[in-house]
């Protein structure tokens, strides 16, 4: 290339000799302009014809090359979604560490990708945004089209179809069709202080293992049904806020302090932290939910199996005919409508019970209003139980200390 073209890349050539010592089989060095925005690129080609992109204007390879300081919005990282690189053996080498790092000058300048990010390769992959967690909202990967207002087009984000170990820190991803997808049982993801905003799908963990630490999934007032989270693999949530909907068909657990809007569960859900459900938790048939600490919910509907071991407060609780609830902790329910089986074995306070199923108590239970409304409705009292207003058209067996 002309001398003027090479000027910003002098740092590269100082690093290239050391790099080639580790790749003795790489026999050609090609300098060319790629099809993506005509960026200058340096590509190494080995004796088998495999291409290794070492540098281009937008991304950087494993050599630690310094980019042109005049490009304020440039991202440093490996070209994991470049079509040429995607077809090479570099993704079979799990020893290479790859990264997608923002420069400080990119603060508050969304990086408009205008392309699908593509499938990540095997090995370690790191996405680094802000230097500190408080600025995660200022370092943005924008996956909506630059002409989104006219064409409503979105691009896909990070796609883990290989055995990738992804770490993502202090960054916002917005506008994607699916921002993060995992479809490999050996893929592992750890997200720290990450914000998902206005994506059609925020997270789709079909299989694989994901850990969310201080993650915010934002709702959209104009399109409240987008930016959801789905899990069919292993999902651990530590201090997360999902303002949209979590759908779990796999194994999910929460720790620390978490807030959810909507949860649909047909898998295994363990709420081990201080968890708030502002709208509704629906536990479907075959679903299992277990709480161990403090759970507060506006509404719960259960057709599966639920075990309440901690302190649980629910405004409206519906236990359907296939559902079974076991309360071993300190449970307070404003209205419990039961047509299944409910075991109140802890310190339980029920303001209103509408029962057409089976209820039994074994410790200390306080009912303010009981409607045992059908002939099949059955309440068995074993512990200390207090009844307020009571309408009984079914059966109430009193075996313990009872106050009417």
């Amino acid at each position: 290339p002309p001398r003027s073209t090479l000027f910003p890349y002098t740092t590269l050539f100082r690093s290239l000799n050391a790099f080639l010592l580790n790749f003795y089989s790489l026999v050609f060095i090609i300098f060319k302009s790629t099809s993506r925005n005509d960026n200058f690129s340096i590509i190494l080609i080995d004796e088998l014809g495999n291409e290794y992109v070492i540098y281009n204007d937008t991304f950087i390879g494993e050599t630690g090359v310094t980019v042109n300081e005049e490009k304020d919005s440039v991202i440093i990282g490996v070209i994991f979604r470049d079509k040429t690189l995607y077809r090479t053996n570099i993704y079979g080498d799990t020893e290479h560490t790859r990264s997608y790092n923002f420069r400080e000058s990119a603060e508050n300048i969304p990086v408009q990708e205008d392309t699908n990010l593509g499938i990540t390769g095997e090995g370690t992959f790191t996405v680094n945004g802000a230097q500190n967690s408080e600025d995660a909202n200022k370092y943005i990967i924008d996956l909506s089209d630059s002409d989104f207002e006219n064409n409503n087009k979105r691009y896909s984000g990070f796609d883990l179809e290989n055995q990738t170990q992804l770490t993502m820190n202090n960054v916002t991803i917005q506008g994607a069709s699916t921002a993060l997808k995992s479809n490999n049982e050996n893929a592992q993801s750890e997200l720290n202080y990450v914000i998902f905003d206005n994506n059609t799908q925020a997270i789709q963990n079909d299989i694989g293992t994901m850990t969310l630490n201080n993650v915010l999934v934002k709702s959209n007032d104009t399109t409240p049904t987008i930016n959801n989270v789905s899990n069919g693999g292993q999902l651990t949530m530590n201090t997360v806020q999902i303002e949209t909907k979590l759908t779990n068909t796999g194994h999910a657990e929460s720790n620390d302090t978490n807030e959810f809007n909507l949860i649909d569960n047909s898998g295994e859900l363990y709420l081990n932290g201080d968890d708030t459900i502002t709208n509704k938790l629906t536990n479907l048939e075959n679903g299992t939910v277990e709480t161990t600490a403090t759970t507060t919910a506006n509404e719960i509907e259960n057709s599966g199996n639920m075990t309440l071991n901690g302190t649980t407060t629910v405004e409206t609780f519906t236990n359907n005919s296939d559902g079974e609830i076991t309360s071993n902790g300190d449970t307070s329910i404003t209205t419990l409508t039961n047509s299944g089986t409910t075991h109140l074995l802890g310190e339980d306070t029920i303001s209103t019970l509408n029962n057409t199923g089976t209820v039994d108590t074994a410790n200390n239970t306080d009912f303010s209003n009981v409607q045992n409304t059908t002939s099949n409705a059955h309440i068995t009292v074993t512990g200390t139980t207090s009844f307020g207003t009571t309408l009984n058209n079914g059966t109430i067996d009193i075996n313990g200390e009872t106050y009417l």
Side-chain angles (χ1 to χ4, degrees), residues 103-141:
R103 296 172 63 211
E104 289 187 23
S105 55
E107 181 176 330
N108 291 321
I109 304 175
V111 177
Q112 199 92 31
E113 290 291 345
D114 277 339
T115 186
N116 296 319
L117 293 187
I119 299 172
T120 60
E122 293 186 8
T124 303
F125 194 97
T126 304
V127 179
N128 291 315
Q131 297 297 312
N132 56 75
S133 59
E134 290 80 4
D135 292 332
N137 64 324
K138 299 178 182 178
Y139 289 78
I140 303 168
I141 301 173

Side-chain angles (χ1 to χ4, degrees), residues 40-54:
F40 176 82
S41 296
I42 298 177
I43 298 176
L44 301 185
I45 301 179
D46 68 13
E47 56 194 7
L48 300 178
N50 298 308
E51 294 187 357
Y52 299 82
V53 175
I54 303 307

Side-chain angles (χ1 to χ4, degrees), residues 249-301:
T249 59
H251 177 100
E253 62 180 73
S254 68
N255 305 289
D256 300 327
T257 302
N258 307 279
E259 183 176 315
F260 306 95
N261 178 38
L262 290 166
I263 301 177
D264 279 1
N265 178 65
S266 57
E268 298 176 348
L269 176 62
Y270 297 91
L271 301 176
N272 302 320
D274 184 356
D275 299 297
T276 300
I277 302 162
T278 57
N279 196 337
K280 184 178 181 180
L281 164 62
T282 302
N283 188 39
L284 302 169
E285 188 177 357
N286 300 322
T288 299
V289 176
E290 182 174 338
T291 68
T292 58
T294 303
T295 304
T296 304
N298 177 62
E299 182 178 0
I300 296 177
E301 182 176 357

Side-chain angles (χ1 to χ4, degrees), residues 38 57 293 319 381:
D38 291 329
D57 280 354
N319 189 37
V381 176

Side-chain angles (χ1 to χ4, degrees), residues 344-402:
L344 301 175
L345 311 179
E347 302 287 332
D348 302 297
T349 301
I350 314 296
S351 295
T352 299
L353 169 64
N354 297 311
N355 182 48
T356 59
T358 300
V359 176
D360 59 86
T361 69
N363 200 349
N364 295 311
T365 306
D366 185 2
F367 296 106
S368 297
N369 180 16
V370 175
Q371 303 290 316
N372 208 36
T373 56
T374 66
S375 59
N376 294 325
H378 196 161
I379 300 174
T380 301
V381 176
T382 303
T384 301
T385 305
S386 174
F387 286 92
T389 304
T390 303
L391 171 65
N392 180 37
N393 293 321
T395 301
I396 299 178
D397 294 330
I398 298 176
N399 302 314
E401 185 176 346
T402 304

Side-chain angles (χ1 to χ4, degrees), residues 141-154:
I141 301 173
D142 191 341
L143 291 165
S144 62
D145 191 84
S146 54
D147 195 26
F148 181 78
E149 290 186 2
N150 293 321
N151 61 24
N152 204 34
K153 185 175 183 179
R154 300 172 182 267

